[in-house]
Amino acid sequence: MSETESRDFIRQIIHDDLESGKHEQIVTRFPPEPNGYLHVGHVMSICLNFGVAAETGGRSYLRFDDTNPGRESEEYVTAIERDVRWLGFDWADRLTHASDYFERLYEVAIALVESGAAYVDSLSADEIREYRGTLTEPGKNSPHRDRTVEENLALLAGMRNGDFADGEHLLRARIDMSSPNMNLRDPALYRIRHVTHQRTGDDWCIYPMYDFAHTLSDAFEEITHSLCTLEFEDHRPLYDWFLDQLKPAQRPRQIEFSRLNLAYAITSKRKLNALVEEGIVEGWNDPRMPTIAGMRRRGYPAAALREFVKRGGVTKKDKLIEMGVLENCIRENLADDAERRMGVLRPLKVVLTNYAEDKVEMMQAMNHPGRPELGTREMPLSRELWIEQDDFMEEAPRKFFRLKPEGEVRLRFGYIIRCDEVIKNEAGEVIELRCSYDPDTRSGTGSSDRKVKGTIHWVSCAHAMDASVRLYDRLFTEVNPNSADDFHAVLNGDSLETVGAKLEPALAELDGAVAVQFERLGYFCTDSEEHSTDAPVFNRIVTLRDSWAKLEKQAMQQQV
RNA sequence: UGGGGCGUAGCCAAGUGGUAAGGCAUCGGGUUUUGAUCCCGUGUACCGCAGGUUCGAAUCCUGCCGCCCCAGCCA
């Protein structure tokens, strides 16, 4: 990074800490709870934490915050590891779990009790809530707050030993029940939970709370900068309180930044989970989901996601970023690399009346207009073709330069054709076009330099490959579904449309998850779950920009 | 109505006392056998509002307004 380039406030702090010699090496961590899949919001945190360390020659941990067994599972652990790696980051041998430290955490708890900084409370959950006070009224001390160290030690040992039922006792920090900061009103440190933990099994029946486990884990791992989101800002005094008690040689500093919210998307694990549980989407990796798994299956390149969060920036201001920014990153990423192919999503038959019945010509098609080194492929052309329904209009406006009655258009890499006749069914719907082609206009031969305004894509009927193509749209109709009272009310019923498409034969050889551009339509890839050679299934990653659609929309609005 | 944050163009975002970068979107135009890509060009943003300090303030001070977060034995 050059001197003149501006740094976000966190990178500035880190830069200063390195410059001043406060730290020789930066150590960060990304600490997800394995209770759900990672989403766009996490992408930002991952890029920040791993990015900042990588940029400064530091190191980062991938640490699972697994302190609440019962709602956490290995499935999520596996998914999270895969997602972080796919995004392009590496934690080397620094994959840890809060549960790795359960023994050390417990030792610290004992030390806290011994120093009088923690005590065992025996109030019920309801009573504790009452004693806590409210936002505007101070809380009051628990009657158990002044138990002796010996009593507390014995009780804590009993808790660990399994002598008590869930909820019977609770280890609390002794701080200040009248603090205006709720987090300091004697926060819970350990609760009793007779639950099997996914990693430690039945070794424990007491589990540490987030603030305690997280702060100490940071200290144990000698994290220098503990970067988290804004909602933890008022936990910082507690974070610092723990550090004051522990006095670690390497004292981590917590810095908060605002979350990244994506327009028309939800980024709440609870709600994302509800979408999955209620069957509103097909799973955590449904291509409409803003999860990393969903976006990967959709075909979003990891580099585009990284670029996206980079454009969002790192600040403390609440942000709601437009979908268009994400889509542009994807288009920009794919534009240079994706090879071009042709596919017709909503087929309309065209018969070339002056083209011989059994004739087939192989047309040379460029794989990428801007990169001739990517070569060409052959596309069979015959008497009957499929073109896009949208590329024909019976009563077309002046600026519509596709096909219309008695109008001409060029077939991409083919001939100029003219629409002579429109065939309709009883319902009055156009079902076929009879056209004639001009043999002198074959693409590339130059026997005629006639120009027509429009060029459309096509696929030969006899050679077309049938495929199921999924067209995705935003999952919600509200810009900020996060704030809706009930997200069900703002679900977009048309977020998925599946069409029976006709694809050019070369698409049969498409390899894996490689993205291709269907000319004039968008970028597509095969679906990692359901695609097969026998039954091809494609996902639309993102459409191409469409200035015609924009014009149409404007025209519609003017009429209204 | 306690505490903690945040308020610069439609969306992001630089700027930290010297008279408002940049990106995306928008809107023009050029190239183009993808209405794509690419290339040019395009914005008076009352810097939340109102006062004050100063020769000079988005930047300092005061008051106000708006939005977000906190009362889990969740993270």
Side-chain angles (χ1 to χ4, degrees):
Chain A
M1 187 179 283
S2 74
E3 276 310 307
T4 52
E5 200 168 338
S6 69
R7 283 178 267 263
D8 59 65
F9 79 103
I10 289 179
R11 275 179 245 255
Q12 186 59 49
I13 289 171
I14 284 170
H15 174 262
D16 293 346
D17 286 348
L18 248 15
E19 198 108 295
S20 72
K22 180 177 178 185
H23 299 296
E24 282 185 11
Q25 191 184 37
I26 298 307
V27 187
T28 60
R29 99 275 91 112
F30 173 62
E33 182 190 9
N35 69 338
Y37 279 59
L38 264 21
H39 54 67
V40 254
H42 295 114
V43 174
M44 175 186 182
S45 184
I46 294 167
C47 290
L48 213 213
N49 277 294
F50 281 90
V52 126
E55 290 157 19
T56 58
R59 53 186 205 272
S60 356
Y61 286 82
L62 171 59
R63 182 173 73 225
F64 288 100
D65 220 325
D66 55 351
T67 55
N68 191 5
R71 62 177 218 175
E72 296 160 1
S73 81
E74 280 303 304
E75 178 204 346
Y76 297 126
V77 169
T78 312
I80 289 169
E81 286 182 44
R82 186 198 311 130
D83 289 347
V84 175
R85 202 174 288 122
W86 175 78
L87 255 188
F89 298 101
D90 181 25
W91 52 84
D93 59 347
R94 290 176 294 277
L95 175 71
T96 58
H97 302 76
S99 57
D100 296 341
Y101 310 124
F102 278 179
E103 202 61 55
R104 293 173 76 181
L105 255 15
Y106 183 70
E107 283 164 21
V108 173
I110 290 175
L112 252 26
V113 168
E114 286 171 339
S115 71
Y119 65 98
V120 174
D121 199 355
S122 307
L123 254 23
S124 70
D126 285 344
E127 289 169 323
I128 285 185
R129 192 181 323 117
E130 285 167 29
Y131 275 71
R132 185 157 33 229
T134 68
L135 293 177
T136 52
E137 306 158 40
K140 53 184 193 230
N141 290 169
S142 162
H144 309 293
R145 199 175 197 257
D146 295 314
R147 288 213 255 233
T148 65
V149 168
E150 289 66 36
E151 272 181 289
N152 284 322
L153 249 18
L155 251 12
L156 178 57
M159 282 170 67
R160 169 168 193 179
N161 196 43
D163 299 345
F164 309 112
D166 288 7
E168 218 173 312
H169 299 291
L170 180 73
L171 183 71
R172 296 229 257 169
R174 181 187 275 106
I175 306 181
D176 178 6
M177 287 306 290
S178 64
S179 171
N181 181 340
M182 302 296 286
N183 298 114
L184 263 20
R185 318 246 263 227
D186 290 10
L189 264 31
Y190 267 99
R191 74 289 218 192
I192 302 173
R193 279 257 198 296
H194 288 273
V195 177
T196 302
H197 186 279
Q198 62 273 18
R199 297 193 76 245
T200 60
D202 293 318
D203 292 352
W204 297 86
C205 61
I206 57 172
Y207 293 98
M209 297 293 290
Y210 163 80
D211 291 289
F212 180 66
H214 179 258
T215 308
L216 297 199
S217 298
D218 278 354
F220 295 159
E221 291 171 356
E222 302 189 324
I223 301 300
T224 55
H225 301 269
S226 184
L227 314 177
C228 64
T229 43
L230 245 32
E231 66 268 29
F232 294 104
E233 199 147 27
D234 48 18
H235 287 237
R236 196 169 64 227
L238 178 55
Y239 187 91
D240 288 334
W241 184 87
F242 284 126
L243 295 175
D244 288 342
Q245 304 299 313
L246 191 68
K247 297 186 173 59
Q250 167 51 59
R251 187 184 169 103
R253 201 236 275 214
Q254 173 177 307
I255 305 171
E256 312 82 14
F257 57 89
S258 61
R259 307 171 58 129
L260 178 160
N261 294 296
L262 177 61
Y264 297 100
I266 259 175
T267 42
S268 141
K269 274 194 202 169
R270 209 199 90 242
K271 290 175 184 170
L272 251 16
N273 189 254
L275 289 174
V276 174
E277 289 301 313
E278 294 170 28
I280 294 167
V281 294
E282 289 168 25
W284 284 100
N285 69 344
D286 186 299
R288 290 167 292 180
M289 291 282 270
T291 51
I292 296 180
M295 296 189 288
R296 174 174 57 236
R297 181 173 168 197
R298 172 82 169 260
Y300 291 3
L305 254 23
R306 278 185 249 119
E307 175 62 22
F308 171 62
V309 302
K310 186 177 170 191
R311 288 186 193 181
V314 180
T315 64
K316 299 188 72 159
K317 191 171 109 180
D318 291 341
K319 53 184 115 209
L320 182 60
I321 303 182
E322 293 170 339
M323 266 285 197
V325 179
L326 210 207
E327 292 181 339
N328 269 313
C329 291
I330 296 161
R331 292 188 186 110
E332 282 174 28
N333 184 280
L334 261 18
D336 287 341
D337 298 329
E339 289 201 1
R340 268 103 248 235
R341 294 292 184 272
M342 284 197 233
V344 176
L345 263 24
R346 296 181 179 81
L348 170 62
K349 181 174 280 189
V350 164
V351 176
L352 265 22
T353 51
N354 58 340
Y355 199 90
E357 202 80 48
D358 53 355
K359 185 175 173 184
V360 176
E361 284 178 281
M362 297 309 282
M363 314 304 288
Q364 290 291 120
M366 277 193 290
N367 287 331
H368 191 118
R371 299 177 58 188
E373 74 274 18
L374 258 23
T376 61
R377 66 188 186 284
E378 295 194 316
M379 281 186 73
L381 180 99
S382 61
R383 189 170 200 263
E384 297 192 349
L385 310 171
W386 295 116
I387 67 163
E388 207 68 59
Q389 284 171 23
D390 284 352
D391 286 337
F392 173 78
M393 263 186 114
E394 193 164 20
E395 286 170 57
R398 187 171 288 288
K399 294 178 96 173
F400 181 86
F401 41 89
R402 277 116 95 154
L403 204 53
K404 49 191 152 191
E406 300 182 12
E408 286 188 327
V409 78
R410 169 169 287 284
L411 295 178
R412 176 88 161 142
F413 301 128
Y415 298 96
I416 289 176
I417 63 172
R418 176 195 151 89
C419 177
D420 304 314
E421 194 184 344
V422 179
I423 316 263
K424 298 181 183 175
N425 61 15
E426 304 81 36
E429 298 160 336
V430 178
I431 53 165
E432 185 182 309
L433 264 23
R434 320 270 314 172
C435 302
S436 47
Y437 83 108
D438 178 348
D440 288 336
T441 58
R442 176 166 175 155
S443 188
T445 60
S447 55
S448 165
D449 56 0
R450 289 177 55 202
K451 293 273 184 195
V452 284
K453 193 80 172 153
T455 299
I456 63 173
H457 58 277
W458 53 277
V459 169
S460 164
C461 294
H463 308 83
M465 169 171 96
D466 285 299
S468 176
V469 177
R470 291 153 177 192
L471 311 176
Y472 300 104
D473 197 0
R474 54 190 59 159
L475 251 183
F476 295 93
T477 55
E478 286 287 318
V479 210
N480 189 1
N482 284 310
S483 67
D485 294 329
D486 177 12
F487 72 79
H488 294 87
V490 294
L491 273 167
N492 175 12
D494 301 318
S495 59
L496 168 62
E497 182 185 4
T498 303
V499 296
K502 303 289 185 182
L503 310 182
E504 67 161 288
L507 246 8
E509 281 121 58
L510 190 62
D511 156 43
V514 179
V516 289
Q517 182 192 105
F518 287 3
E519 295 212 28
R520 304 208 310 131
L521 297 175
Y523 295 95
F524 297 77
C525 66
T526 56
D527 185 74
S528 56
E529 301 279 322
E530 294 173 39
H531 173 79
S532 73
T533 317
D534 297 336
V537 179
F538 284 76
N539 292 328
R540 182 171 69 196
I541 301 168
V542 65
T543 61
L544 249 33
R545 296 173 91 173
D546 188 347
S547 52
W548 168 249
K550 200 154 49 188
L551 277 176
E552 264 190 319
K553 200 174 162 189
Q554 284 171 3
M556 295 279 274
Q557 282 167 348
Q558 278 167 11
Q559 281 178 11
V560 173

